[in-house]
Amino acid sequence: MRNLVILGTTLAMSLGVWSTALAQTPRQPHAGEIAAGLRRLGVVGSMLYVAAHPDDENTRLLAWAVGERGLRAGYLSMTRGDGGQNLIGTEQDELLGLIRTQELLAARRIDGAEQLFTRARDFGYSKSADETLRSWGRDPVLADVVLAIRRFRPDVIVTRFTTRPPNHGHHTASALLAEEAFAAAADPTRFPEQLGALQPWKTDRLLYNVSTWNLGPNADMSAYLKVDVGGYDPLLGRSWGEIAAESRSQHKSQGFGVPADRGSLSEYFSPLAGVRPKAEPFEGLELTWRRWSGTEKVTRAVEEAVKGFDPRAPHRGIPALLRVHEAISALPDDNRWKAIKLRETEELLAACAGLFLEARAAEATAVPGGQVALNLMALNRSPAAMRLVSVTLPGGESVAVGAELADKAPFKLSKTVTLPAEAAISTPYWLRKPVAGGLFEVADRALIGRPEGDPALSVTFTYELGGKRFTGVRPVVYAWVDPVRGELYRAFEIVPAVTATLAREVLMFPNGAPQSVQVVLAAGRADAAGKVRLEVPQGWRVEPAEAPFQLSARGDERTVRFQLTPPRGATERGRLRVLVESGGRTESWRVRAVSHEHIPPQAVRQPSEATLVPFTLATKVRRIGYIPGPGDRVAESLAAVGYEVTLLPEERLATEKLEGLEAILVGVRAFNANPRLALHRERLLRYVERGGRLIVQYNTNSRVGPLAGLISPYPFEIGRDRVTDETAAMTPISAGEPVLSAPNRLGPADFEGWVQERGLYFASKWDERYRPVFAMNDPGEQPLHGGLLVARHGKGAFVYTGIAFFRQLPAGVPGAYRLLANLLAQ
């Protein structure tokens, strides 16, 4: 009996089905996809693509390799993109990495490749591979790349980037690691702890996929290998360029929507190591079953299945597929493709029968020790004879069924299971441990490299088809109906009895003033009662000491408020932890939800803690307006330290009375995201002329995405300069610079403790009426003066700044608050 595990890994775009482990609505492959999957049964070649981030992958090549060549293709991304920026929300750091992980998985469901990762954390833009590898740790990340190669066992490895700088340090590091891992994976003396279930693997060749986006139309490419990836598949009704564009457009948080390419599309390659082909990347590789002796029966069986397939009656192809399965089963177990092709054959058998298997939970969540009501369904949507033998429930209980699955007559079963009292709380596996340093800490080594962990619960259906017995494993999901979007799915999750989530992860205490601390209690079960308290450093005063609560129904919420006062004269950071006593246990859990329409709902559950930051802050202005940009939390950070913040979305700018505002701050990339802001140029500049202060945070400007409509009184140009060293010296250009003296006198201590970077997208050229404030630079580079420009305009002031306030303020950097307070007061 084969164990058919269907947990979201697709056969490829030719059979992109059964992705309910990712909480997607299940979809039956159409006949064209089944036919493409049959063709792929005869191909036993693989390609691993290696780069640094989500959205670095070449989806044109991946879609073509899977669809046209029938290869097994994978994308190994060094990171999950945590250090990037966010065009669709305010999530940063690990929450952004969670979004980008799901965007990668959505892309792979479209182009058909598989997704792999290392444990490396995206810590933001880096200017050198040396810095990157120091932060990640060269050996552990190299071990992860070697592990991916030994697991995937590719015939060809393709790198997106070269080892030659200048480039993003993560990009260069990914190429260096791929090149070193190419050799190390074949060496049994390298990372021998991986060996046993795995064996050393010698990849045939290493290629560099030459980037052409920055080359002119007449560039000489004759020195490179060339392949046309612009084919069209009439079975799918799409070209590889169209599929690739849809795949790439899943990176919505990065604004990477692209148009579809049609017609001839050239990709170029340069050999780096191993066999060096002369004409095309796969030259000289035998990618069919003929690469091994004794596989003639497999070849014949696949050819017969392809030839005899009737798209109008896919179930008639089941006997031929059963013969394919029998031929592959007879191969030696040491054939590395045996298990892979058996799994693909079993998926095709189920697809030809229109088999639908599902395990739904009556509720989206349950607590450890709680009960879960399951509703199971098995449906044969074809005339093929099929029998459901048994169902194995979570926990191992086997329920004998012995029912014929007749055409269009669903088998249904309702069962209740009890979760173990010590069942693990659901959270992304790489975020289960505190995030620190350059690597995610993963306790279960078997999970390293996987895009997601195992589902909380799963059900195994055992069925007979054509005299053979198979099993299909389905994750337990929860489904509901949205009145606009229709039926939606999400993964079933195991949750704490009570979560206690702080409104903010960093609590600022300007000038020793007490702050209200809000804790949102949410019930994971009915009748959750107890008390909640704050555990704080010595000398901090909490009122009340504890608060009782009663939550009657599962899902009920209640907000509890404490007043927290720092010790007199406190300057040191501290840590706060929320403790909940309920049901004889004391626990600390918070939940952070991520919800966007293009990905399944996500939740991160971790200990409920916050950083406490006492500091001094003088403010000259209080009433400020904020024109939102995409993906920053500056406005809420300013409100948390006492500013009165009025949000000014574009539609309110025409009518809002700006005269009552002492300063207006423009969010990051606001002009990039909303060109209509340019319509308000005259009104905003008139506001400055009359004595207002207008501060514009960074926007981007490039050949690919030129910036139009930036509001400023005098001309300046935004370049791509940045300072990635968060410890870089911030040297005043003028000793008497007023920005540094009022209302807060700034000194070197104000520029300590910054995170990720000093700033980005600095001005590269500016009118002489602008006054640059700081000189700063990364090690070994010339000082940059365009990070902060100030100009008088009429009675007011205009400021452009690339300084990364959008990172520093949510991270609780006192000096950033003080510097911004001074800018608001100019």
Side-chain angles (χ1 to χ4, degrees):
M1 179 176 68
R2 289 289 303 166
N3 185 32
L4 174 56
V5 181
I6 301 171
L7 297 178
T9 300
T10 64
L11 271 169
M13 106 271 297
S14 57
L15 198 62
V17 298
W18 298 312
S19 51
T20 49
L22 303 170
Q24 301 294 309
T25 302
R27 185 179 70 84
Q28 171 70 19
H30 58 65
E33 293 169 326
I34 295 174
L38 289 170
R39 289 199 313 253
R40 291 189 69 227
L41 288 178
V43 182
V44 284
S46 56
M47 178 191 79
L48 182 63
Y49 201 85
V50 180
H53 309 108
D55 74 37
D56 284 343
E57 76 274 25
N58 185 339
T59 56
R60 296 197 324 192
L61 181 61
L62 292 174
W64 172 84
V66 172
E68 181 72 25
R69 298 299 296 262
L71 299 172
R72 181 188 182 207
Y75 173 45
L76 173 60
S77 178
M78 296 291 143
T79 76
R80 296 177 185 264
D82 325 78
Q85 291 146 55
N86 187 355
L87 278 175
I88 62 172
T90 61
E91 297 91 351
Q92 293 181 14
D93 302 318
E94 60 262 33
L95 294 186
L96 178 57
L98 187 59
I99 292 172
R100 298 185 73 183
T101 295
Q102 291 299 321
E103 290 175 339
L104 272 176
L105 290 170
R108 298 295 80 80
R109 287 191 292 273
I110 292 165
D111 60 39
E114 299 173 36
Q115 186 59 52
L116 302 83
F117 290 100
T118 75
R119 289 169 293 164
R121 180 172 160 265
D122 181 353
F123 58 87
Y125 192 91
S126 171
K127 291 184 178 179
S128 76
D130 287 343
E131 178 195 35
T132 297
L133 294 173
R134 280 198 306 272
S135 177
W136 289 348
R138 185 180 193 118
D139 284 350
V141 178
L142 176 62
D144 288 359
V145 180
V146 169
L147 180 65
I149 293 171
R150 288 173 172 171
R151 283 176 174 166
F152 198 81
R153 296 182 290 189
D155 295 299
V156 179
I157 297 175
V158 181
T159 66
R160 167 80 282 184
F161 303 107
T162 75
T163 58
R164 299 185 300 275
N167 203 332
H168 190 322
H170 299 181
H171 293 171
T172 309
S174 74
L176 289 167
L177 290 165
E179 194 166 307
E180 187 172 355
F182 175 82
D187 185 348
T189 68
R190 303 294 302 274
F191 308 108
E193 69 279 3
Q194 298 176 358
L195 303 179
L198 295 175
Q199 297 298 319
W201 179 253
K202 182 175 176 57
T203 303
D204 189 80
R205 61 197 63 175
L206 175 68
L207 308 175
Y208 160 52
N209 181 199
V210 179
S211 297
T212 57
W213 65 270
N214 58 348
L215 300 178
N218 299 318
D220 181 7
M221 307 299 289
S222 60
Y224 301 114
L225 307 176
K226 178 181 176 181
V227 66
D228 185 352
V229 299
Y232 170 80
D233 189 343
L235 289 172
L236 303 177
R238 309 179 74 190
S239 68
W240 312 127
E242 290 169 323
I243 291 169
E246 184 184 354
S247 173
R248 186 158 184 77
S249 296
Q250 300 311 301
H251 297 294
K252 300 182 189 304
S253 67
Q254 305 306 294
F256 268 34
V258 296
D261 288 319
R262 300 174 180 89
S264 180
L265 301 170
S266 296
E267 290 290 340
Y268 298 91
F269 303 87
S270 177
L272 299 176
V275 172
R276 295 178 176 266
K278 302 296 184 184
E280 65 98 13
F282 302 100
E283 176 185 291
L285 284 171
E286 177 56 71
L287 301 177
T288 72
W289 288 103
R290 286 188 292 272
R291 70 194 297 175
W292 298 286
S293 61
T295 57
E296 294 80 9
K297 288 185 178 180
V298 176
T299 300
R300 284 196 300 271
V302 171
E303 290 173 349
E304 291 171 3
V306 171
K307 184 178 179 180
F309 180 68
D310 181 355
R312 294 166 297 183
H315 68 278
R316 293 177 182 167
I318 289 175
L321 274 170
L322 288 170
R323 290 191 290 272
V324 172
H325 193 276
E326 183 178 2
I328 296 174
S329 297
L331 296 176
D333 288 341
D334 61 0
N335 186 303
R336 63 189 177 92
W337 282 93
K338 179 178 178 179
I340 296 170
K341 291 302 176 180
L342 282 175
R343 184 176 67 244
E344 290 183 15
T345 305
E346 292 160 7
E347 290 175 348
L348 286 164
L349 281 164
C352 286
L355 177 62
F356 180 81
L357 303 174
E358 184 179 70
R360 290 192 184 189
E363 300 286 346
T365 63
V367 301
Q371 293 190 324
V372 183
L374 299 178
N375 298 306
L376 313 181
M377 178 189 286
L379 174 61
N380 171 17
R381 293 179 286 191
S382 78
M386 184 178 292
R387 179 172 172 268
L388 183 63
V389 177
S390 64
V391 173
T392 303
L393 302 173
E397 178 189 354
S398 181
V399 179
V401 177
E404 298 298 324
L405 294 180
D407 185 12
K408 303 175 185 175
F411 168 84
K412 295 183 179 181
L413 176 67
S414 296
K415 296 289 287 186
T416 297
V417 298
T418 301
L419 297 178
E422 300 303 321
I425 300 299
S426 298
T427 201
Y429 76 84
W430 65 96
L431 299 178
R432 196 169 290 280
K433 298 276 190 177
V435 177
L439 282 182
F440 292 111
E441 185 179 348
V442 178
D444 185 350
R445 308 288 293 182
L447 292 172
I448 292 173
R450 291 175 53 177
E452 296 181 298
D454 293 327
L457 300 176
S458 59
V459 172
T460 301
F461 297 81
T462 301
Y463 60 94
E464 288 181 352
L465 178 64
K468 290 183 178 289
R469 186 168 289 191
F470 303 98
T471 62
V473 180
R474 294 296 186 269
V476 174
V477 297
Y478 174 73
W480 76 103
V481 177
D482 181 275
V484 175
R485 298 168 63 197
E487 187 178 49
L488 299 174
Y489 281 67
R490 67 179 299 159
F492 170 81
E493 295 180 300
I494 300 174
V495 302
V498 180
T499 56
T501 304
L502 291 156
R504 299 192 305 278
E505 299 169 50
V506 177
L507 303 175
M508 306 300 294
F509 292 82
N511 308 317
Q515 293 286 324
S516 175
V517 178
Q518 297 183 33
V519 180
V520 178
L521 301 173
R525 60 176 174 85
D527 297 321
K531 54 188 178 182
V532 58
R533 58 187 172 88
L534 304 184
E535 185 178 78
V536 298
Q538 185 175 0
W540 289 71
R541 189 170 72 254
V542 182
E543 296 176 329
E546 60 184 30
F549 67 87
Q550 173 76 46
L551 300 169
S552 300
R554 185 205 318 242
D556 279 359
E557 292 187 0
R558 178 187 167 191
T559 299
V560 177
R561 290 174 173 82
F562 296 89
Q563 181 165 284
L564 183 56
T565 305
R568 183 181 299 274
T571 59
E572 296 296 322
R573 288 180 173 231
R575 292 290 288 174
L576 171 153
R577 185 163 65 140
V578 185
L579 297 175
V580 174
E581 298 178 18
S582 180
R585 300 168 68 104
T586 299
E587 295 184 311
S588 177
W589 288 100
R590 67 173 177 177
V591 60
R592 292 182 291 169
V594 175
S595 180
H596 295 283
E597 286 194 2
H598 69 297
I599 62 173
Q602 305 290 306
V604 179
R605 297 175 181 87
Q606 296 168 317
S608 185
E609 298 178 347
T611 300
L612 309 176
V613 186
F615 73 117
T616 59
L617 177 68
T619 56
K620 182 178 177 182
V621 304
R622 305 294 287 180
R623 301 183 307 279
I624 62 175
Y626 196 85
I627 301 175
D632 80 67
R633 294 158 52 199
V634 171
E636 66 178 79
S637 298
L638 291 173
V641 295
Y643 285 95
E644 299 173 16
V645 182
T646 300
L647 291 180
L648 299 173
E650 184 274 327
E651 60 270 18
R652 288 184 58 184
L653 275 177
T655 57
E656 188 74 23
K657 292 183 179 180
L658 305 183
E659 295 77 12
L661 301 173
E662 297 171 276
I664 295 175
L665 190 58
V666 182
V668 298
R669 293 176 296 171
F671 294 103
N672 296 121
N674 191 348
R676 285 183 56 84
L677 289 174
L679 299 176
H680 305 282
R681 170 186 170 84
E682 297 304 322
R683 189 159 192 256
L684 287 171
L685 291 182
R686 191 162 56 248
Y687 164 79
V688 177
E689 284 179 348
R690 294 173 178 174
R693 305 160 180 91
L694 181 63
I695 301 172
V696 176
Q697 297 180 83
Y698 88 88
N699 282 256
T700 64
N701 186 36
S702 67
R703 177 179 61 83
V704 177
L707 175 63
L710 179 67
I711 296 174
S712 61
Y714 317 117
F716 71 93
E717 294 181 14
I718 298 173
R720 297 184 62 81
D721 288 334
R722 63 175 72 203
V723 174
T724 64
D725 182 356
E726 66 272 24
T727 67
M730 302 275 281
T731 305
I733 293 175
S734 170
E737 173 56 57
V739 166
L740 303 179
S741 59
N744 298 281
R745 183 163 294 279
L746 304 182
D750 287 294
F751 302 104
E752 297 174 356
W754 287 46
V755 298
Q756 187 160 319
E757 59 199 343
R758 287 297 192 196
L760 62 170
Y761 297 104
F762 290 1
S764 56
K765 297 179 182 178
W766 52 88
D767 186 275
E768 63 183 9
R769 284 168 285 190
Y770 287 104
R771 185 179 79 249
V773 175
F774 291 111
M776 61 185 105
N777 58 277
D778 281 317
E781 296 184 356
Q782 293 298 310
L784 300 173
H785 292 184
L788 178 58
L789 302 179
V790 179
R792 302 301 303 179
H793 182 59
K795 297 179 181 179
F798 173 87
V799 174
Y800 174 76
T801 179
I803 292 174
F805 290 110
F806 77 103
R807 294 198 191 280
Q808 311 310 323
L809 268 57
V813 178
Y817 278 92
R818 287 158 53 84
L819 173 57
L820 186 54
N822 286 8
L823 291 175
L824 291 167
Q826 288 301 298

Short mmCIF file of all heavy atoms in Angstrom, two decimals, residues 25 43 144 167 234 243 276 295 302 335 347 353 376 381 424 427 454 476 520 550 608 617 624 647 668 673 695 705 765:
data_model
loop_
_atom_site.label_atom_id
_atom_site.label_comp_id
_atom_site.label_asym_id
_atom_site.label_seq_id
_atom_site.Cartn_x
_atom_site.Cartn_y
_atom_site.Cartn_z
N THR A 25 -8.63 27.00 -1.27
CA THR A 25 -9.79 26.24 -1.72
C THR A 25 -9.34 25.13 -2.64
O THR A 25 -8.61 25.37 -3.61
CB THR A 25 -10.77 27.18 -2.45
OG1 THR A 25 -11.14 28.24 -1.58
CG2 THR A 25 -12.01 26.43 -2.91
N VAL A 43 9.60 12.01 -17.54
CA VAL A 43 10.77 12.86 -17.38
C VAL A 43 11.34 12.67 -15.98
O VAL A 43 10.61 12.75 -14.98
CB VAL A 43 10.41 14.34 -17.60
CG1 VAL A 43 11.66 15.22 -17.46
CG2 VAL A 43 9.77 14.54 -18.97
N ASP A 144 22.81 24.44 5.30
CA ASP A 144 21.42 24.40 4.84
C ASP A 144 21.35 24.26 3.32
O ASP A 144 20.47 23.57 2.80
CB ASP A 144 20.68 25.66 5.28
CG ASP A 144 20.40 25.68 6.77
OD1 ASP A 144 20.76 24.72 7.47
OD2 ASP A 144 19.80 26.67 7.24
N ASN A 167 26.82 44.37 -5.69
CA ASN A 167 25.46 43.83 -5.73
C ASN A 167 24.96 43.86 -4.29
O ASN A 167 25.72 44.12 -3.36
CB ASN A 167 25.48 42.40 -6.28
CG ASN A 167 24.15 41.98 -6.86
OD1 ASN A 167 23.10 42.46 -6.46
ND2 ASN A 167 24.20 41.08 -7.82
N PRO A 234 -1.11 24.33 -25.73
CA PRO A 234 -2.55 24.39 -26.02
C PRO A 234 -3.39 23.62 -25.02
O PRO A 234 -4.58 23.90 -24.86
CB PRO A 234 -2.64 23.78 -27.43
CG PRO A 234 -1.41 22.96 -27.59
CD PRO A 234 -0.35 23.65 -26.80
N ILE A 243 2.10 32.36 -17.73
CA ILE A 243 2.11 31.70 -16.42
C ILE A 243 3.14 32.35 -15.51
O ILE A 243 2.89 32.60 -14.32
CB ILE A 243 2.41 30.20 -16.60
CG1 ILE A 243 1.21 29.52 -17.27
CG2 ILE A 243 2.72 29.53 -15.27
CD1 ILE A 243 1.48 28.11 -17.73
N ARG A 276 30.36 21.43 -18.72
CA ARG A 276 30.14 22.73 -19.35
C ARG A 276 29.49 22.54 -20.72
O ARG A 276 30.17 22.26 -21.70
CB ARG A 276 31.46 23.49 -19.47
CG ARG A 276 32.06 23.84 -18.11
CD ARG A 276 33.41 24.54 -18.22
NE ARG A 276 33.88 24.92 -16.90
CZ ARG A 276 33.68 26.11 -16.33
NH1 ARG A 276 33.00 27.04 -16.99
NH2 ARG A 276 34.15 26.37 -15.12
N THR A 295 14.45 -0.12 -17.22
CA THR A 295 13.28 0.76 -17.06
C THR A 295 12.40 0.75 -18.31
O THR A 295 11.54 1.62 -18.45
CB THR A 295 13.74 2.20 -16.76
OG1 THR A 295 14.59 2.64 -17.83
CG2 THR A 295 14.49 2.28 -15.45
N VAL A 302 4.30 4.48 -19.65
CA VAL A 302 4.03 5.92 -19.69
C VAL A 302 3.58 6.32 -21.09
O VAL A 302 2.60 7.08 -21.26
CB VAL A 302 5.26 6.72 -19.25
CG1 VAL A 302 5.05 8.21 -19.51
CG2 VAL A 302 5.56 6.49 -17.77
N ASN A 335 16.55 3.59 -6.64
CA ASN A 335 16.33 4.54 -7.72
C ASN A 335 15.72 5.80 -7.13
O ASN A 335 14.62 5.77 -6.56
CB ASN A 335 15.40 3.94 -8.78
CG ASN A 335 15.25 4.84 -10.00
OD1 ASN A 335 14.85 6.00 -9.91
ND2 ASN A 335 15.57 4.29 -11.17
N GLU A 347 -1.23 10.73 -7.59
CA GLU A 347 -1.99 11.97 -7.71
C GLU A 347 -2.77 12.00 -9.01
O GLU A 347 -3.93 12.47 -9.05
CB GLU A 347 -1.03 13.16 -7.61
CG GLU A 347 -0.45 13.34 -6.21
CD GLU A 347 0.59 14.44 -6.13
OE1 GLU A 347 1.04 14.91 -7.20
OE2 GLU A 347 0.97 14.82 -5.02
N ALA A 353 -9.94 10.04 -11.48
CA ALA A 353 -11.20 9.60 -10.87
C ALA A 353 -12.01 10.77 -10.33
O ALA A 353 -13.13 10.57 -9.85
CB ALA A 353 -10.90 8.62 -9.74
N LEU A 376 -15.89 14.57 7.66
CA LEU A 376 -15.06 14.01 6.61
C LEU A 376 -15.91 13.71 5.38
O LEU A 376 -17.09 13.33 5.49
CB LEU A 376 -14.38 12.73 7.08
CG LEU A 376 -13.71 12.79 8.46
CD1 LEU A 376 -13.06 11.45 8.78
CD2 LEU A 376 -12.69 13.92 8.53
N ARG A 381 -15.97 11.26 -8.34
CA ARG A 381 -16.77 11.98 -9.33
C ARG A 381 -16.56 11.40 -10.74
O ARG A 381 -16.45 12.14 -11.71
CB ARG A 381 -16.41 13.46 -9.29
CG ARG A 381 -16.83 14.11 -7.98
CD ARG A 381 -16.48 15.55 -7.87
NE ARG A 381 -15.06 15.76 -7.65
CZ ARG A 381 -14.52 16.93 -7.31
NH1 ARG A 381 -15.30 17.98 -7.16
NH2 ARG A 381 -13.23 17.05 -7.12
N ALA A 424 1.07 20.89 20.87
CA ALA A 424 1.83 22.11 20.57
C ALA A 424 0.91 23.19 20.03
O ALA A 424 0.03 22.94 19.20
CB ALA A 424 2.94 21.81 19.56
N THR A 427 1.98 27.71 15.43
CA THR A 427 2.71 28.92 15.04
C THR A 427 3.73 28.51 13.99
O THR A 427 4.14 27.34 13.95
CB THR A 427 3.39 29.58 16.26
OG1 THR A 427 3.67 30.95 15.99
CG2 THR A 427 4.68 28.87 16.65
N ASP A 454 4.26 20.93 9.64
CA ASP A 454 3.16 20.01 9.46
C ASP A 454 1.85 20.67 9.92
O ASP A 454 1.85 21.53 10.80
CB ASP A 454 3.38 18.73 10.27
CG ASP A 454 4.55 17.91 9.74
OD1 ASP A 454 4.78 17.94 8.52
OD2 ASP A 454 5.23 17.28 10.56
N VAL A 476 -6.48 18.82 8.29
CA VAL A 476 -7.77 19.30 8.78
C VAL A 476 -7.82 20.81 8.54
O VAL A 476 -6.89 21.54 8.91
CB VAL A 476 -7.96 18.97 10.26
CG1 VAL A 476 -9.24 19.61 10.80
CG2 VAL A 476 -8.01 17.45 10.46
N VAL A 520 -5.21 42.90 25.31
CA VAL A 520 -6.43 42.32 24.75
C VAL A 520 -6.43 40.83 25.07
O VAL A 520 -5.58 40.07 24.60
CB VAL A 520 -6.50 42.54 23.23
CG1 VAL A 520 -7.77 41.87 22.66
CG2 VAL A 520 -6.50 44.02 22.91
N GLN A 550 -13.42 37.28 32.97
CA GLN A 550 -14.35 36.17 32.70
C GLN A 550 -14.73 36.29 31.22
O GLN A 550 -15.28 37.30 30.78
CB GLN A 550 -15.61 36.28 33.57
CG GLN A 550 -16.69 35.28 33.23
CD GLN A 550 -16.36 33.88 33.73
OE1 GLN A 550 -15.95 33.71 34.87
NE2 GLN A 550 -16.55 32.88 32.87
N SER A 608 3.92 36.65 25.36
CA SER A 608 3.42 38.03 25.33
C SER A 608 4.37 38.92 26.11
O SER A 608 4.34 38.98 27.35
CB SER A 608 2.02 38.09 25.94
OG SER A 608 1.49 39.39 25.81
N LEU A 617 12.15 63.50 26.14
CA LEU A 617 11.69 64.01 24.85
C LEU A 617 11.05 65.38 25.04
O LEU A 617 10.11 65.52 25.82
CB LEU A 617 10.66 63.05 24.23
CG LEU A 617 10.03 63.49 22.91
CD1 LEU A 617 11.08 63.48 21.80
CD2 LEU A 617 8.84 62.61 22.54
N ILE A 624 -0.11 67.43 14.57
CA ILE A 624 0.52 67.14 13.29
C ILE A 624 -0.43 66.34 12.40
O ILE A 624 -1.30 65.62 12.88
CB ILE A 624 1.85 66.37 13.44
CG1 ILE A 624 1.61 65.00 14.09
CG2 ILE A 624 2.85 67.18 14.25
CD1 ILE A 624 2.87 64.15 14.17
N LEU A 647 -4.81 61.86 10.57
CA LEU A 647 -4.49 61.19 9.31
C LEU A 647 -5.08 61.97 8.14
O LEU A 647 -6.25 62.41 8.19
CB LEU A 647 -5.02 59.76 9.31
CG LEU A 647 -4.33 58.79 10.28
CD1 LEU A 647 -4.96 57.40 10.18
CD2 LEU A 647 -2.83 58.71 10.02
N VAL A 668 6.29 57.03 4.15
CA VAL A 668 7.25 56.50 3.20
C VAL A 668 6.56 56.08 1.91
O VAL A 668 5.46 55.55 1.91
CB VAL A 668 8.03 55.30 3.79
CG1 VAL A 668 8.81 55.73 5.02
CG2 VAL A 668 7.10 54.15 4.13
N ALA A 673 3.15 55.46 -4.19
CA ALA A 673 1.93 54.68 -4.09
C ALA A 673 0.70 55.43 -4.59
O ALA A 673 -0.26 54.81 -5.06
CB ALA A 673 1.71 54.24 -2.64
N ILE A 695 7.35 67.59 6.09
CA ILE A 695 8.47 66.64 6.11
C ILE A 695 8.09 65.44 5.24
O ILE A 695 7.09 64.77 5.49
CB ILE A 695 8.76 66.18 7.55
CG1 ILE A 695 9.10 67.39 8.44
CG2 ILE A 695 9.89 65.15 7.58
CD1 ILE A 695 9.22 67.06 9.90
N GLY A 705 11.01 52.36 -12.14
CA GLY A 705 9.87 53.04 -11.53
C GLY A 705 10.16 54.50 -11.28
O GLY A 705 10.40 54.91 -10.14
N LYS A 765 21.03 64.80 -5.85
CA LYS A 765 21.31 66.18 -6.29
C LYS A 765 20.25 67.07 -5.68
O LYS A 765 19.11 66.65 -5.49
CB LYS A 765 21.24 66.28 -7.82
CG LYS A 765 22.26 65.44 -8.57
CD LYS A 765 22.07 65.61 -10.08
CE LYS A 765 23.06 64.74 -10.85
NZ LYS A 765 22.85 64.87 -12.33
#
